[in-house]
Amino acid sequence: MEHVCFIESGLASMVAESADGKSVEIRHIGREGIAGYPVVLGVDQTPNKTFMQVPGLGLQVATEDFLSVLDHPGVRQLLLRYVHTCELQLAHSALAAAKFNMHQRLARWLLMCHDRIDGNDLPLTHEFLALMLGVRRAGVTDELHILEGMHAIRSTRSNVRILDRDMLIDIAGGCYGVPEQEYERLVENSPRSVNPGGRLNGHHAVVAG
């Protein structure tokens, strides 16, 4: 990893891939986070892949310059707390996959995307949602129709519009919220803020500066 990227807009996907080419998205990163964050733990490479799923902008920093910033105790503590929230998000993705049904998991992923993208339109294809959930595209389409029938979203081929966020939270149930609360508790005390709707917000001047 020669660079880390502080994402200001858009959405990056981190994908795990098996030796025989099977893949699934394990987390996504938006304006709340950092692409290349394993370098905080002293890792120089990872088998996981990260790519931009929704176009956007970010601040790219050479790894060697970024590592020098970690000498600052306050910055290092903040970034380690952020890594903790990443691990917690992964843990709850595993929990959701094992213990929650498909439409709950889909509602969770849509809420997580909504947290990281401005506005209520999520430029997500059915193929991408299938990758996120590790299921067939047809299964995602069926589940989107269910959420549409509940008037929580409106879905087209390459866009999902959030109509009722509170309803999505109700549908997701216990598989959404814990990592987000932990992020707010540990990271939002830096120069960041959560808007009244509860969606993650902020930028990365504390490190990039």
Side-chain angles (χ1 to χ4, degrees):
M1 291 177 282
E2 297 180 352
H3 300 87
V4 298
C5 184
F6 297 88
I7 296 175
E8 295 290 313
S9 62
L11 193 67
S13 294
M14 180 180 289
V15 175
E17 189 172 276
S18 66
D20 58 356
K22 296 182 176 64
S23 62
V24 66
E25 192 202 55
I26 54 175
R27 68 182 311 268
H28 45 250
I29 308 163
R31 58 191 174 187
E32 92 298 343
I34 310 166
Y37 70 85
V39 300
V40 177
L41 302 176
V43 176
D44 63 349
Q45 59 182 319
T46 174
N48 295 331
K49 298 178 180 178
T50 302
F51 63 93
M52 291 300 292
Q53 178 64 37
V54 177
L57 300 173
L59 306 175
Q60 183 171 283
V61 182
T63 299
E64 59 184 41
D65 295 327
F66 174 76
L67 290 176
S68 67
V69 176
L70 296 180
D71 292 335
H72 188 288
V75 172
R76 182 175 181 81
Q77 182 187 54
L78 174 63
L79 291 170
L80 287 173
R81 288 179 172 185
Y82 169 69
V83 172
H84 165 70
T85 66
C86 294
E87 296 303 308
L88 191 61
Q89 187 188 113
L90 287 171
H92 278 255
S93 293
L95 176 64
K99 298 296 184 179
F100 290 82
N101 61 40
M102 181 68 70
H103 69 271
Q104 289 175 307
R105 292 166 56 201
L106 177 58
R108 173 180 181 260
W109 278 113
L110 291 175
L111 286 164
M112 291 168 64
C113 292
H114 195 218
D115 285 339
R116 292 162 174 81
I117 298 177
D118 290 326
N120 293 320
D121 285 307
L122 311 179
L124 307 175
T125 65
H126 291 196
E127 287 82 5
F128 173 57
L129 291 170
L131 173 65
M132 288 198 295
L133 295 169
V135 298
R136 295 182 303 109
R137 181 187 181 281
V140 167
T141 301
D142 291 342
E143 296 298 332
L144 287 170
H145 287 160
I146 292 173
L147 296 183
E148 280 190 294
M150 300 172 72
H151 305 291
I153 65 168
R154 181 179 299 123
S155 176
T156 61
R157 183 175 181 180
S158 58
N159 189 78
V160 177
R161 173 171 290 183
I162 305 300
L163 300 179
D164 192 332
R165 179 179 171 89
D166 289 338
M167 182 177 290
L168 282 178
I169 292 174
D170 288 342
I171 294 168
C175 71
Y176 173 80
V178 173
E180 289 73 22
Q181 291 169 3
E182 191 77 342
Y183 178 93
E184 183 176 352
R185 183 178 75 85
L186 293 174
V187 181
E188 291 293 344
N189 290 328
S190 69
R192 297 167 181 255
S193 64
V194 174
N195 70 22
R199 293 172 61 182
L200 303 175
N201 201 357
H203 62 79
H204 314 281
V206 64
V207 175

